[in-house]
Amino acid sequence: MAESIPLTPEMLWVLGILGLTVILFISEVVRVDVAAVTIMMILGVMGLIPGVPALVPGDQLFRGFASNAVISIIAVIILGKALDKTGLMSKLASLILRVGGQTERRIVPVISGTVGVVSGFMQNVGAAALFMSVIKRIAMRTGLPMSRLLMPMGFCAILGGTLTMIGSSPLILLNDLIATSNRMLPEGVAPMRTFAIFDVTPVGVALILTGIVYFVLLGPYVLPAKKGQDQEVSTVEYFRRLYGLEGDIFEIHVFAGSLLDGKTVADAESLFGNRVAVIGLYQNRDLRIAPAHDIVIQAGSQIGLLGARADIGDVCQEMDLQCSGMLTHFAEVLSASQAGISEVVVPPRSNLIGKTFQDVRMRKTHGISVLAVNRAGKVIRGNLRDLPLQSGDTLVLHSLWEDLAALEKNPDFVVVTSNFPHEVILHEKMPHALAISLITMVLVLFSDLRLSVSLMAGAAAMIVSGVLTMDEAYKSVSWQSVFLLASLIPLGMAVESTGTAAWIAVQTLNLLGDVPIWVLQAAVAVLSTVFTLLMSNVGATVLLVPLAVNIAVLAGADPAMFALTVAISTSNSFLIPTHQVNALIMGPGGYRNADFLRAGGIMTVLFLIVSLTVLNLLF
């Protein structure tokens, strides 16, 4: 039994504030960041009230906003945004899509493994959001329910946060909390070690592999098969409805001398009958979506055909064509994250009224294909080249999102579609972003600079080099997370400095009795799991690391190991959709709380077993 510690008035005040913090987080009377700021200000003004102790010195109250952890989190978010802005992450997503195949058993490991690795170097909610459009596209192409794909991807994004010390907010925060706890250790106790960026990688790899194997083997039994709430109409779905065809897009190579060589698009569609539709043509380095019917197909061109696999196979065999289900030339323009269907209106004062599409040259001038014109309730399709534009015409377009964003600035059109990515992808800046990221990682790994300095140097370089503007950097940062973390740091200081953590540790040890060290560590991991379900993972980490350190010191265990156990275990957030990633996928996947309880319950147990096993084997 541990030696008892008397309960002081300062401890009672801290326990009361801790209780208030938990109540505010669980009840969600106010937002979590508002709750955190409120708690910080309560700590700040307590010294003004007669008879109430000042738990945190005034000059330490806002220390969290300049902490190594907060600055590091801001920098990581900016770096991730810069990589996304150059199109690098979208190219990676497209590559994964091409090699992922058509079956759930093959797609889940490829997508989930990639998201897990990516989330080790950027905020996991950003990694999950990035791959949402990829999942949507795969679901549309393969007919697989999004609910069978989104949860594995989301869970592995959370697991990937344990891959590096910059993968999640708790791990970024951990070294700062250890440094604070070192100043409070009793005499004779050696200072705790801090952790390098890849020290936790074996744990993260084991957890990601566990998640992948779990969903490959048990996914068909624990995942629901349902349609989500966010199944938007993609380019492929538009053409399916237009032609009344089911199936997928296939890329066809036209050989010299084949039956299509020298035929027009209209001739080709006549030969295909009603089984297959031409939706794209790539020839002479010119890519057209919904090509005009009078365009002549030349040898060496690529045709995008929509139809059932069996029908496409018959067409290719009959006409000596090379058929491929792996898109190369059409992959980008059919990706929901890069391009899509939109509508624009010709306003009354447009300078284009009376001009034909041949005069306007929409595709060459604006990079946009006109699929149809809605005029006075009538839909006009086919050869639109000689059709004069009229005021009020609604044009149905297909374009890259960056081209549509540029069209918004043209006063001759009014873009009706608004829910599309407005950012311009800076492909030419990709080498800059890659070089800066590489240099940043070298600084993190091999220099003596603080983590925040190394990461912020990389973020600043992204801005100076023009990959991001300063305004884009400001907008990319999750200021809610920043204020939440910075505002809770003073509470963690109060828990440690007043001896409250030590008092709770003694009570915990006395309650558990004489048990092995691994049982205490497991209890800390379970407590961290429960806390992270009730509040943010940052809040759970700030509150529990001092407690875990004190338990380890009193039990004669390694306090650094117990602190790391907390930071790892606060990623064990699968039972209910309180984690940001789970909240993100809940609507699109059509999930209910029961779905998370069923699939997340087993994942929670596996997480505890695997993480504790690997931690004890390594440390």
Side-chain angles (χ1 to χ4, degrees):
M1 181 174 291
E3 183 180 348
S4 66
I5 297 177
L7 191 62
T8 65
E10 288 82 5
M11 293 181 188
L12 287 173
W13 277 102
V14 171
L15 289 171
I17 294 174
L18 276 174
L20 176 61
T21 303
V22 173
I23 291 171
L24 288 176
F25 279 5
I26 295 175
S27 65
E28 295 184 348
V29 176
V30 292
R31 282 182 8 173
V32 290
D33 52 334
V34 176
V37 172
T38 301
I39 294 300
M40 179 180 66
M41 297 320 301
I42 290 175
L43 290 170
V45 301
M46 284 181 65
L48 296 177
I49 304 173
V52 176
L55 300 177
V56 179
D59 59 350
Q60 300 291 313
L61 191 65
F62 299 107
R63 181 180 174 184
F65 287 92
S67 68
N68 182 63
V70 169
I71 301 302
S72 297
I73 288 173
I74 293 173
V76 166
I77 294 173
I78 294 174
L79 286 167
K81 178 65 175 179
L83 290 174
D84 189 24
K85 180 71 180 294
T86 62
L88 178 65
M89 305 311 297
S90 294
K91 285 186 178 296
L92 174 62
S94 298
L95 175 63
I96 297 304
L97 181 60
R98 286 200 294 271
V99 302
Q102 300 286 318
T103 64
E104 180 179 339
R105 188 172 290 269
R106 185 175 170 189
I107 290 170
V108 166
V110 176
I111 289 290
S112 300
T114 305
V115 171
V117 173
V118 170
S119 65
F121 298 91
M122 63 185 295
Q123 292 292 292
N124 45 30
V125 68
L130 177 66
F131 280 83
M132 285 276 287
S133 60
V134 181
I135 295 288
K136 290 179 183 179
R137 182 179 166 198
I138 290 174
M140 292 171 184
R141 287 185 56 185
T142 62
L144 293 171
M146 284 181 63
S147 60
R148 303 296 284 262
L149 304 176
L150 276 176
M151 192 174 285
M153 182 274 290
F155 279 18
C156 284
I158 297 173
L159 295 172
T162 64
L163 196 61
T164 70
M165 290 297 292
I166 61 172
S168 65
S169 298
L171 287 171
I172 292 176
L173 176 63
L174 179 61
N175 283 335
D176 275 15
L177 293 176
I178 287 176
T180 300
S181 294
N182 276 337
R183 293 193 290 269
M184 309 291 179
L185 289 175
E187 290 185 13
V189 177
M192 289 179 284
R193 67 186 182 278
T194 54
F195 296 94
I197 184 171
F198 292 120
D199 280 354
V200 293
T201 299
V203 181
V205 169
L207 287 172
I208 293 171
L209 290 176
T210 300
I212 292 173
V213 172
Y214 166 56
F215 281 113
V216 168
L217 296 180
L218 298 181
Y221 307 102
V222 300
L223 293 173
K226 60 181 74 173
K227 289 187 177 180
Q229 304 168 0
D230 195 24
Q231 300 278 13
E232 60 190 37
V233 178
S234 67
T235 304
V236 178
E237 187 63 27
Y238 172 84
F239 284 112
R240 282 176 181 156
R241 295 181 183 180
L242 177 62
Y243 293 107
L245 294 172
E246 291 299 325
D248 205 355
I249 304 297
F250 294 83
E251 202 161 289
I252 310 301
H253 180 76
V254 180
F255 290 106
S258 71
L259 195 57
L260 292 185
D261 186 7
K263 295 287 194 299
T264 64
V265 172
D267 294 335
E269 292 194 327
S270 296
L271 291 171
F272 298 151
N274 295 324
R275 300 175 298 167
V276 177
V278 177
I279 70 162
L281 177 65
Y282 178 80
Q283 62 183 18
N284 300 325
R285 297 184 179 181
D286 183 22
L287 192 151
R288 298 168 183 259
I289 294 295
H293 287 177
D294 58 351
I295 294 179
V296 176
I297 300 172
Q298 302 173 10
S301 62
Q302 307 286 333
I303 303 176
L305 296 184
L306 170 65
R309 180 177 294 273
D311 292 331
I312 297 287
D314 291 342
V315 165
C316 292
Q317 188 173 7
E318 293 167 5
M319 301 183 182
D320 191 23
L321 304 170
Q322 181 182 354
C323 173
S324 173
M326 183 178 293
L327 301 182
T328 54
H329 296 89
F330 297 100
E332 184 177 30
V333 296
L334 295 179
S335 168
S337 63
Q338 300 292 311
I341 305 297
S342 59
E343 291 186 348
V344 304
V345 174
V346 179
R349 295 184 180 181
S350 173
N351 296 317
L352 305 181
I353 294 175
K355 295 183 179 179
T356 66
F357 284 107
Q358 186 171 7
D359 298 329
V360 177
R361 305 178 73 180
M362 288 285 288
R363 201 175 53 77
K364 289 190 176 181
T365 305
H366 304 290
I368 287 172
S369 298
V370 182
L371 306 181
V373 177
N374 292 329
R375 177 178 293 172
K378 181 181 178 181
V379 180
I380 305 172
R381 292 192 179 93
N383 192 345
L384 304 173
R385 191 175 303 167
D386 297 320
L387 180 71
L389 288 165
Q390 296 182 9
S391 173
D393 281 350
T394 299
L395 313 182
V396 181
L397 311 177
H398 178 275
S399 66
L400 295 173
W401 296 129
E402 55 188 288
D403 292 329
L404 186 63
L407 196 69
E408 278 190 313
K409 302 173 183 178
N410 191 326
D412 291 327
F413 301 98
V414 175
V415 177
V416 177
T417 302
S418 59
N419 58 337
F420 68 93
H422 286 67
E423 287 184 310
V424 177
I425 304 299
L426 301 178
H427 298 287
E428 69 278 6
K429 292 291 186 179
M430 190 181 297
H432 299 75
L434 285 172
I436 292 169
S437 299
L438 180 61
I439 294 171
T440 302
M441 293 310 306
V442 169
L443 290 175
V444 169
L445 293 174
F446 303 111
S447 76
D448 294 329
L449 292 174
R450 287 169 62 90
L451 178 65
S452 56
V453 177
S454 299
L455 293 175
M456 188 55 74
M462 292 290 190
I463 296 168
V464 172
S465 64
V467 178
L468 280 181
T469 66
M470 198 66 195
D471 288 339
E472 288 171 334
Y474 286 142
K475 291 177 182 177
S476 70
V477 176
S478 173
W479 294 107
Q480 178 179 0
S481 299
V482 169
F483 272 81
L484 172 64
L485 171 55
S487 300
L488 284 177
I489 286 176
L491 178 58
M493 293 168 54
V495 170
E496 185 72 44
S497 62
T498 60
T500 306
W503 182 85
I504 297 175
V506 168
Q507 307 310 310
T508 303
L509 289 175
N510 289 337
L511 180 64
L512 292 175
D514 188 15
V515 296
I517 296 297
W518 69 266
V519 175
L520 289 176
Q521 186 185 6
V524 167
V526 171
L527 189 62
S528 302
T529 300
V530 173
F531 265 61
T532 200
L533 294 174
L534 301 177
M535 60 176 65
S536 73
N537 54 6
V538 169
T541 305
V542 170
L543 297 182
L544 293 179
V545 164
L547 171 62
V549 168
N550 279 273
I551 289 176
V553 170
L554 292 172
D558 181 359
M561 163 74 108
F562 273 54
L564 182 59
T565 300
V566 171
I568 293 286
S569 299
T570 50
S571 289
N572 193 3
S573 184
F574 308 104
L575 271 175
I576 52 178
T578 52
H579 194 282
Q580 287 178 309
V581 172
N582 291 337
L584 177 71
I585 65 175
M586 189 171 186
Y591 298 120
R592 298 175 302 167
N593 286 332
D595 298 322
F596 283 96
L597 287 171
R598 182 170 56 252
I602 300 174
M603 188 70 247
T604 298
V605 175
L606 290 174
F607 187 105
L608 289 169
I609 294 172
V610 172
S611 61
L612 289 173
T613 300
V614 178
L615 280 171
N616 281 282
L617 286 175
L618 289 178
F619 299 103

